[in-house]
Amino acid sequence: MECAVDAQSLISMSLMKIHSSRTQRGGIKLHKNLLVSYVLRNARQLYIKEKYAEIYRMQQYEEVMAVCSGIQELDPLEPLEQQGAEDAEPEQPGRAALCGEESRAAGGREPEPPEPAYYRSCCMEDQFSQNCNKTTVLDLDTHVVTTVENGFLHQDCCCAAAAAAAPQCAPGAAARKRKVDSAGCSPDLEEPADYTAGRKRLKREECSGADCSPDASNISNLISIFGSGFSGLLSRQAELEQVCSKQALASLGAWTRAIVAF
Amino acid sequence: MGEDAESPKINHTFLRDYVTEADVISTVEFNQTGDLLATGDKGGRVVIFQRETESKGVTEEAGEVGDSGEYNVYSTFQSHEPDFDYLKSLEIEEKINKIRWLPQQNAAHFLLSTNDKTVKLWKVSERDKRPEGYNLKDEEGRIKDVSTITSLRVPVLRPTDLMVEVRPRRVFANGHTYHINSISVNSDGETYLSADDLRINMWHLDITDRSFNIVDIKPANMEDLTEVITAAEFHPHHCHLFVYSSSKGTLRLCDMRASALCDRHTKLFEEPEDLGSRSFFSEIISSVSDVKFSHSGRYLLTRDYLTAKVWDLNMDKGPVETYQVHEYLRSKLCSLYENDCIFDKFECVWNSSDSVIMTGAYNSFFRMFDRETGRGVTLEAWRENSKPRAVLRTRRVYTGGKRRRGDVGVDSLDFTKKILHMAWHPEENIIAIAATNNLYIFQDRVNPDAQTE
């Protein structure tokens, strides 16, 4: 009866429990739902950690690729970001390209704080690159030196933008998930992760939910109804979301192995 | 419901499961003398068993088989019915969450029973005589024709078949917004407390339209909620002290003399978290499902998902004893979360001398721990394996090493057979174990009086 201890499956399992508790006889059990929300929080924290680690590794690879191609083409002056966007990893072709797409799509709008800093500095747009601060880090595990802008990781901020841009649930989802699920289900997983940040986001999630499968719309409705629950205990991860500062970054387990070299 | 032999043509299993859901026992409690044992079930019924008095002159010898000391059904009544809260459009389950007996003061017995919202006081009395010889009524109760009465007589009481009457004497309603999880009778004999997820109320047994709120942990903003109350109990001797446990694994001892509202605890019992063993489910498995004072009043027994802990009231830094109930489940927490078993609330009990603690597990197993030696034993409450008067044999869950005959593998455990509710006789070594819809009563014939086993 072993199930995969996967952050994403735990998140979806927890949501199903909360959803089914609404129709349970005797009313919603406060204690059980509180415990389920703790699991949700823990799964989400791990999910974010894994995401950061993944992006970090991907960035490393892109940096290396960029440097290699830069050396080959004897054109060291081209900014790394643009190279990164064009030389996306073969295994994950969608990611960086989508990232670029999303940022361009969202570039024109004026997003609410803290989102402007969120995706502007991480996405591959020249006009924002001067806002980025670079940090060079050495990963003790892989012994690779890499440079990261401001600690921002592409996926999360672009996916937040994806959630914000109503019709585009599928592309954002593809960028997030490693395994491919049915297209309708994937956006749901980001929606619950975002709900803790506050009601502001809930309305956007409802929009994206409506375009997806019936399951997704049920869950997005659930989130909006459940929006007032237990975000107090999720405040730690809310902080992570709101301000991708160096301090928040330092708290992530993936980064604790790294040494700030320069 | 008995287990009927299945007809080869028709499979009755689904019907059996459907029918017996209401029969699932949800609480078990001995009264203060141990002569009466009450059980409550999910269907809102209460069944009271009475111990047969031993016949005069018969002494209990080891291994002697006799009818004395057995528990038989004394009375059955419907305590709570399904209810509906029209304001919130919520169904209120009739399941009996807890039963607590009052100390006996006269010939009648009183017990408190509660579902999620309402506490009721029931009077259980016997009637074994009835008046005969009325002047105005005949034996069938029909009014006599006055002209036929020629003389007067005094009615007399004549013995009749024993009748047990159960009447509701008080209904303590509308005291709780959230689900009641505990009730506890105070040693003063006049008051009791009822606890729900966020509040604890104190009631006077004679007053039903008012209760006094003594603990309120509801935050101003429900979004800031981080813990709920899981169990509460009055101290067995000090009527001003009570304890309540939380979903975070903490215990709070409160003294009602300190202030009217006991939101601020007098003592907080908390074990420092073992950060090395954190997992997704750390919060769930640390939630305390039951708390019981020892008979002496000096110790507290708590149960969380994997362990049972004994705390000394004089030491709040951590438990003095920790017993692993089923540590082999620690690696299975994800599956147990998936099938909701991780939310099961196990109860725990003391024996009469506070030397042994007992709690339930899965696969119809329950565990007893001897506090002096620290050793635990696993026993099974399963009808097919135990004939009446047979000796309970110890069981073992195989977790590695040399496998013995009769060992059960972790993956073969039946998680639908859970022992959640149990009670220990207040004076003797008699235990009552609720296994789904069956009640098992085990008696220690070798050491009938409380001794260290």
Side-chain angles (χ1 to χ4, degrees):
Chain A
M1 220 192 0
E2 273 306 315
C3 69
V5 189
D6 180 14
Q8 285 183 337
S9 64
L10 274 182
I11 288 172
S12 55
M13 224 190 284
S14 304
L15 279 185
M16 287 305 298
K17 286 187 196 298
I18 294 172
H19 182 62
S20 62
S21 76
R22 295 170 67 206
T23 51
Q24 255 171 19
R25 201 165 164 251
I28 295 175
K29 295 196 176 11
L30 188 65
H31 184 203
K32 182 177 174 186
N33 281 289
L34 181 66
L35 296 177
V36 169
S37 63
Y38 271 113
V39 175
L40 253 179
R41 177 192 76 156
N42 295 338
R44 166 142 173 82
Q45 280 175 346
L46 183 73
Y47 179 74
I48 290 178
K49 246 194 313 198
E50 287 175 354
K51 273 288 147 201
Y52 274 113
E54 201 182 309
I55 307 307
Y56 170 49
R57 268 179 241 118
M58 192 194 78
Q59 279 188 328
Q60 267 171 240
Y61 182 81
E62 284 174 3
E63 294 275 338
V64 167
M65 290 300 290
V67 168
C68 291
S69 55
I71 289 168
Q72 282 176 0
E73 294 174 9
L74 296 171
D75 194 356
L77 295 176
E78 231 180 302
L80 294 173
E81 297 89 349
Q82 284 180 345
Q83 287 295 328
E86 282 145 25
D87 301 324
E89 289 175 70
E91 307 95 57
Q92 294 153 335
R95 284 185 190 249
L98 286 167
C99 213
E101 254 180 40
E102 291 305 300
S103 60
R104 280 194 290 279
R109 31 184 291 275
E110 200 52 50
E112 299 163 37
E115 280 162 73
Y118 225 56
Y119 67 79
R120 274 184 194 166
S121 59
C122 83
C123 297
M124 330 295 192
E125 294 195 26
D126 279 349
Q127 62 265 35
F128 298 111
S129 62
Q130 56 256 33
N131 295 333
C132 293
N133 297 320
K134 293 187 187 180
T135 308
T136 306
V137 293
L138 163 69
D139 189 305
L140 288 176
D141 288 350
T142 59
H143 300 286
V144 173
V145 177
T146 188
T147 306
V148 177
E149 278 94 7
N150 224 13
F152 282 133
L153 302 175
H154 298 262
Q155 249 64 347
D156 252 12
C157 49
C158 292
C159 293
Q168 317 212 5
C169 35
R176 284 189 298 277
K177 284 175 70 73
R178 275 174 239 121
K179 54 182 192 260
V180 178
D181 260 347
S182 60
C185 294
S186 39
D188 310 340
L189 299 174
E190 189 55 30
E191 292 167 351
D194 289 341
Y195 84 97
T196 60
R199 288 195 186 83
K200 285 185 289 190
R201 296 211 187 175
L202 293 175
K203 298 198 180 83
R204 294 195 294 276
E205 285 151 6
E206 274 173 355
C207 301
S208 49
D211 292 320
C212 304
S213 69
D215 280 345
S217 66
N218 282 341
I219 293 192
S220 68
N221 290 336
L222 164 72
I223 291 162
S224 62
I225 291 165
F226 192 57
S228 60
F230 314 141
S231 60
L233 59 89
L234 298 160
S235 58
R236 260 206 292 154
Q237 70 181 30
E239 285 165 19
L240 282 172
E241 284 179 318
Q242 285 160 13
V243 184
C244 262
S245 63
K246 282 181 191 164
Q247 291 89 348
L249 205 59
S251 72
L252 291 176
W255 291 95
T256 55
R257 298 190 304 273
I259 295 175
V260 179
F262 302 107
Chain B
M1 305 288 287
E3 293 202 4
D4 307 302
E6 282 183 311
S7 148
K9 297 193 190 104
I10 306 166
N11 186 353
H12 293 288
T13 357
F14 74 95
L15 201 62
R16 181 169 57 198
D17 288 345
Y18 173 78
V19 170
T20 57
E21 172 67 20
D23 292 340
V24 173
I25 298 171
S26 50
T27 184
V28 188
E29 184 80 357
F30 280 100
N31 74 337
Q32 278 78 5
T33 59
D35 288 336
L36 294 175
L37 175 67
T39 64
D41 64 23
K42 279 191 173 177
R45 283 174 310 231
V46 173
V47 180
I48 304 176
F49 298 84
Q50 187 187 46
R51 191 175 186 193
E52 295 302 320
T53 47
E54 298 168 14
S55 19
K56 294 193 175 87
V58 175
T59 45
E60 280 286 323
E61 289 174 38
E64 180 177 292
V65 169
D67 282 329
S68 57
E70 282 194 357
Y71 285 81
N72 296 317
V73 177
Y74 179 63
S75 176
T76 305
F77 62 96
Q78 186 76 30
S79 171
H80 288 73
E81 298 274 3
D83 204 351
F84 198 79
D85 182 340
Y86 294 99
L87 190 64
K88 296 176 191 165
S89 290
L90 278 182
E91 209 180 338
I92 301 170
E93 277 189 299
E94 67 276 27
K95 173 169 82 92
I96 308 296
N97 291 335
K98 282 287 186 305
I99 289 175
R100 290 287 182 263
W101 291 91
L102 265 56
Q104 191 176 11
Q105 288 173 332
N106 50 39
H109 298 275
F110 288 86
L111 63 82
L112 286 169
S113 67
T114 185
N115 68 349
D116 283 339
K117 295 288 181 183
T118 305
V119 185
K120 291 187 184 178
L121 177 69
W122 294 89
K123 179 179 177 183
V124 185
S125 49
E126 289 183 4
R127 184 189 293 213
D128 60 355
K129 294 180 182 56
R130 68 188 198 104
E132 281 178 22
Y134 282 109
N135 291 294
L136 297 175
K137 289 189 288 187
D138 65 16
E139 295 308 313
E140 277 83 45
R142 288 187 297 248
I143 308 290
K144 277 187 192 171
D145 185 359
V146 178
S147 57
T148 62
I149 299 172
T150 51
S151 60
L152 283 178
R153 55 185 175 165
V154 177
V156 290
L157 291 172
R158 294 212 190 282
T160 181
D161 292 336
L162 179 67
M163 237 183 17
V164 180
E165 287 183 333
V166 184
R167 290 219 179 88
R169 295 310 298 255
R170 305 270 188 276
V171 177
F172 304 92
N174 304 319
H176 290 277
T177 309
Y178 300 95
H179 298 315
I180 297 175
N181 51 55
S182 315
I183 48 174
S184 176
V185 183
N186 204 350
S187 53
D188 66 5
E190 291 185 347
T191 57
Y192 74 94
L193 64 78
S194 57
D196 67 25
D197 292 319
L198 297 178
R199 299 190 178 98
I200 302 180
N201 293 335
M202 193 166 92
W203 305 77
H204 192 283
L205 284 165
D206 291 335
I207 300 169
T208 58
D209 59 355
R210 266 167 297 158
S211 75
F212 193 63
N213 176 246
I214 49 177
V215 173
D216 189 340
I217 63 167
K218 185 177 179 192
N221 185 359
M222 276 299 272
E223 293 187 22
D224 300 330
L225 181 73
T226 57
E227 66 180 329
V228 297
I229 297 169
T230 52
E233 199 184 38
F234 267 120
H235 191 282
H237 311 308
H238 302 302
C239 58
H240 53 268
L241 285 179
F242 66 93
V243 71
Y244 70 91
S245 60
S246 83
S247 54
K248 274 192 172 171
T250 62
L251 303 171
R252 285 176 171 80
L253 183 73
C254 298
D255 189 334
M256 293 194 287
R257 299 171 303 186
S259 73
L261 199 56
C262 298
D263 284 359
R264 279 220 311 268
H265 51 264
T266 301
K267 255 195 172 168
L268 173 69
F269 296 84
E270 193 172 15
E271 186 173 23
E273 194 190 348
D274 178 14
L275 293 166
S277 64
R278 266 202 69 80
S279 75
F280 289 117
F281 311 105
S282 295
E283 286 85 4
I284 300 187
I285 62 170
S286 64
S287 174
V288 173
S289 54
D290 194 17
V291 65
K292 293 267 173 38
F293 273 102
S294 64
H295 291 89
S296 61
R298 164 127 186 225
Y299 296 99
L300 284 166
L301 173 63
T302 60
R303 176 74 155 95
D304 50 59
Y305 192 65
L306 295 178
T307 69
K309 295 180 174 143
V310 175
W311 306 70
D312 186 331
L313 241 62
N314 302 318
M315 196 176 88
D316 52 7
K317 294 288 172 285
V320 291
E321 295 152 32
T322 301
Y323 300 96
Q324 303 295 337
V325 180
H326 39 207
E327 179 66 13
Y328 46 80
L329 294 183
R330 194 179 285 271
S331 54
K332 310 271 179 203
L333 292 179
C334 186
S335 317
L336 295 165
Y337 178 71
E338 196 173 9
N339 62 18
D340 273 0
C341 282
I342 205 173
F343 301 105
D344 287 336
K345 297 189 182 156
F346 293 94
E347 289 175 8
C348 51
V349 291
W350 296 89
N351 76 334
S352 49
S353 60
D354 299 336
S355 57
V356 177
I357 60 165
M358 180 171 73
T359 188
Y362 292 106
N363 206 66
S364 304
F365 288 165
F366 58 100
R367 304 263 280 147
M368 275 193 204
F369 296 95
D370 182 334
R371 290 183 62 211
E372 284 188 29
T373 62
R375 288 219 317 263
V377 71
T378 305
L379 301 165
E380 189 179 18
W382 182 233
R383 133 171 29 141
E384 312 225 332
N385 293 345
S386 49
K387 312 271 180 288
R389 300 187 179 82
V391 175
L392 264 184
R393 59 194 178 98
T394 62
R395 304 302 311 271
R396 226 170 68 117
V397 176
Y398 176 68
T399 52
K402 188 166 191 275
R403 187 165 185 149
R404 282 188 237 148
R405 194 162 160 264
D407 281 3
V408 180
V410 179
D411 292 322
S412 353
L413 292 174
D414 187 346
F415 290 96
T416 62
K417 297 197 170 70
K418 44 193 101 175
I419 308 285
L420 301 174
H421 311 290
M422 50 186 32
W424 201 307
H425 191 286
E427 279 148 28
E428 297 181 35
N429 281 343
I430 303 173
I431 56 177
I433 308 284
T436 321
N437 56 344
N438 295 309
L439 181 71
Y440 292 85
I441 299 176
F442 299 110
Q443 302 190 20
D444 188 349
R445 298 280 182 175
V446 177
N447 298 309
D449 300 317
Q451 280 173 26
T452 309
E453 288 177 10

